[in-house]
Structures are given as C-alpha cells and as structure tokens.
Amino acid sequence: MINKDTLDKILSRVEKPARYIGNEINSYNKNTKEVKVRFAFAFPDIYEVGMSHLGLHILYNLLNKEEDVFCERVFAPWVDMEHELRKYNIPLYALESKDPINEFDFVGFTLQYEMSYTNVLNMLNLAHIPLLSKDRKEGDPFIIAGGPCAYNPEPLADIIDFFVIGESEELILEIIEIYKKWKENNRTREEFLEDVSQIQGVYVPKFYEVTYNQDGTIKEFRPKTDKYPSVIKKRIIKNLDEVYFPDRVIVPYIETVHDRVMLEIFRGCTRGCRFCQAGMIYRPVRERSVDRLLDYAQKLVEITGHEEISLSSLSTSDYSKLEELVKSLIDKFKDKKIGLSLPSLRLDSFSLDIIQEIQKVRKTGLTFAPEAGSQRLRDIINKGINEEDLINSVRDAFYLGWSTVKLYFMIGLPYENYDDILGIKDLAYKVKDTYFGLPKDKRKGNLKVTVSTSCFVPKPFTPFQWFGQDTIETFKEKQRYLGSSIKDKKITYNFHDPELSFLEAVFARGDRRLSKALIIAWQKGCKFDGWADYFNYEKWKEAFRETEIDPSFYANRHREYDEVLPWDFIDVGVSKKYLIKENEKAKEGILTRDCRKGCTGCGINISFTGGVC
C-alpha cells in the first residue's frame, strides 16, 4: 500500500480529491490476502468520465461477485495529481486498496476511443510498468485491453499483452479460471499467453507477424506457428436476459458525466448505417425483456438514489417493446419523481405517445442526428430517414413545449458535395420555421437550435472502411463554408477539431508500426488528447516526423478492396463481401432495408447464433 500520510498531503493540493479516494457507496473492499486474483479495471480518462461508463460497472461487479477475485478501479489522474504522484514517487494505485497496480495480476484497459491511447501509456508509466509487452518480466501484471477500439488492436500491438475481442462477460471469467490454474502451477508468463491464445476472442499480438509490400501496404499477416488461430472470432452473449447485469452500482461522491441509472435495453443494431462501426460490430440484435429491465430499474433506483433512468442502446427507439417499457417505468416511478431519458432516438420512429409519457415527469433535452444535410447523402449513408421525419418530430416536440433542439451531422462523408453541406443549414432553418409556424399560444420557451458537425472518420468493419478521410484543410474549408452560411441568432453552429479527427482516423485504420509514433508522442508530453486544452497537434507532427511515419498514409489514402487491412484477421460476423456490396450501393445511393424486415445477408447468422437472426 502506498504511504497514506503522503497521499493525504497531496490530496489537499489537487482539484477534486474525491477522484482519488474511493470508498464510495456500493464499492467493494476485500481482504487482499484472501483473494487469488487481483484485477485493476483501468479507464484511460478521468474519474468523472470513467464512472459514467456502463461497461465498467458491469465488469467491476461481475468480477467482484467471484469470492476469490478482487476487482478495483484506476483512472487517469488529472495533470495536477500526476504532478504530485511523480513529485513524491508514488506509483499509480487502485482506488479500493490504495495498492500500486503494478502489484496486481491484471491491468485491464477499456479502449473507448483512439485518443485515449497516450493516456494508456501514461498510466503504465505512472504505475512503473514497462510500456512494451516484450519488456515485461515474470511478476509483472498482464496488460489486457478490450472495448470498441480493440476491433483494430494493431496500433497497440507492441504495448498490450493480449486483447479481448467482443463482449467479455463470459470471456473474462474464462481467462480468470485459466489464470488461477496457471498461477497454482507456477508456470511462466509465456505459457499463460499460450494458454489464453486458445480461447475464442483472445488475441495475443506477439504470436503473429506482419510483412509489408514496398508501397507500405500489408503483404501478409499470419500466426508464427500453426498452433495459434489465423482468425480471431469475436465473442457475443447469446441471451441478454441470462447474462450478468449489475443490480448495484457505485455512487460517486462528486458529479460525473452521467449521474443516473443506466439500463441497457438491447445490443446491436439492424439499421445498417454505412458509416457506423458500432452498428456492424455489435450485431446481432439481442433484447432484454421488459420484466427483467423493470426488475433492474427497481433495484438500481433503490440502491443508488439516482433521480433519472437512462435507456441505453445504439438506437433506443428500435427496442421492440419501447412503449410498454416506458409506460411501465413511468407508472412505477412517477411518485418518486424519477425522470426518464431516451438518448439515441431515431427520427423515423420517434413516437408522440412516448414523448408525452416522458413529459409527464420531466422534460429532458431533445437531440436528433440526421447525420447528413441532403436526402441524397442520407441515402448514400443508408440513414433511412427523410426531411419529413425530422420536421414532423420537431413539430410534435414544439407542440408539447420543447424549444431547444440539438442536431448532429457529419461533414466529409463519402461522395459529399457542397450542396450537401448547405443542406445542413437549410434543415436547421426549416426547424426554426417549423417552430415559428406554430400558433403563438402554442410556442413555449425561447427557441434554440444547435447544429453540431463532427468530421467523418472511416472506421474498420464499415462499408466506408476503404474511403480516404478528407484532409484537415478540406475539413476546415467545409466548416468555414457552413459557418458563414448560417446567419440566424436562433441557430448556433459548433464543430469538431479536424486535427483531432485526423489522428482518430490514423489510429482507427492504423497498423502496428504506429506503436513507436505513439510512444514518441507520449514522451513529448502528449496525453489527454481528447481534451481540447491538452491536445497538441504540433507534438504529434514531430513524433510522426521522427519515426518517419506518414500519418496521411493511414487516414487520407483510399484503399482498394484487395488490400490486406490491419484488422482483416478478426471475424466480427459481418462479411467483407457484404461490406463491399454496401459500399457499391452507396455509390448509387441505393438503400438497404432494416434487417428486421428481412435478412440482408450480412453474414452474422452464419458465424453466430442468437438475437433476431
């Protein structure tokens, strides 16, 4: 355990010391001498962000249900705390026991976004753990990683000991069981990696080698010997009603990003938006039953005291029994004034009945994501909604008293032109006109429309994975064009940093050669890259220059169908043939139907069973 007197001293000097003290309601505290496995769940961002992540609460409670396993939490310390830790040579520690995480059996990172990669390095360094997998010795913890970014693990191949691909509720327990036997038999680190490499969904980078063509593209990716699988197949949970879901979650002492009960109503998505990685990698769709969700809601409200329940999924309004669930939740909690929020609503299935139900308790913000400004481009990306859907939805909302609407779009989408960008402005103006088209006595509040544009990032396992991203200069030109065209005080325009989106694309589509640039960037001081105040693009440029890596090779280059992609060895269930077919249909603006209305042949029902397929 670290020196508590020293810790107390430094905590008095940092912002929000509650980030670093643990002991919150519903957290675990076990006798470390009585457990066989110690697991540090590592979130590479600050406490407030990590504690809002549902996956953390699921795995933390799942592992701690095991009597002989102690799972603790560790977050990226903010810069003031890092300064103090380094000043007093205190290694990064876990919140529950205050023990340094380099004494643990596992440090498991969740990779939610590429711009957290430098924080992974920083946390390892603060924990006095070697950055590179090859430098770790017997007795060092195993560094593992999962989450959506693990679907292209290659940029972290030199750093992470092994990756967990897919849903890990069952997989993590299998790994722990193997570890216990390995530990009892006092075998070598290498032997444990050999053992876990045989589990479906586990990828050990050191057991694979990559060769390259002269133009820098991948020539071949293969296991070093036949005993390692040539394809890593993701793991899924077949039945969500039968898998573990926590009936207790930690209640932080300080405000976090989402202070509410999170109910995961289903996984997967059948819509097939061609830019959306989550919609492809999380297939097939699997729903939780209403009864099970009501039971979880009751327990979680009682044990946390939260005043809001959020329905979590990729597309909440696609839950087949949403109306029944919403009405049941409202009936159950209306006397307690528990609010309900429905993020990720689709415009075409936005139900007036549901919005009226929510309004009975409390108004929450309304956010819509048309994604593209023109019908032409919405068809290209297979969004499957039209302008009428948006206008009808906001009109209903305005009649019911809402006056604040947020609209999310992307710029730089494949086959976009400047008319499509102007369509974003036109759509925002039509929303405004809809509000003022209502009779005066029906308008409530003061209209505010916020238009936000992100920069399109081509992601692995999407039909647009081959598409080169716009250059930074092109993004800026498009942002200026749209910004100058919006001249209305009721409409606010926000946009994302193109440099950040460029780096996101580099690592989203990168290969294992990027590990060295990542390390150099971190050595130059890069961390918290997702935070505007700390993102330093100049240092990144220096890192790429010093490692002789051209980042545009990864982000901006258009790729051919026959090129070997760094993530091709992972089987997510959706076939490459399907992705190619979808990309070709995009060029013609041809829509693909929701696969709940008939199989579209993505391949998921061939490799996996469960869900609607």
Side-chain angles (χ1 to χ4, degrees), residues 570-584:
I570 293 175
D571 176 11
V572 298
V574 175
S575 70
K576 201 168 188 177
K577 185 179 168 188
Y578 176 78
L579 298 178
I580 291 172
K581 187 173 80 173
E582 282 298 294
N583 191 34
E584 291 300 314

Side-chain angles (χ1 to χ4, degrees), residues 393-432:
S393 296
V394 295
R395 182 182 293 112
D396 290 343
F398 290 152
Y399 262 118
L400 290 168
W402 268 269
S403 59
T404 300
V405 176
K406 292 179 183 174
L407 302 173
Y408 280 104
F409 299 89
M410 277 183 282
I411 57 172
L413 284 162
Y415 318 111
E416 175 189 72
N417 60 40
Y418 276 79
D419 287 341
D420 300 315
I421 295 171
L422 210 53
I424 296 174
K425 180 215 70 171
D426 293 342
L427 211 48
Y429 274 56
K430 284 173 184 170
V431 169
K432 185 198 81 171

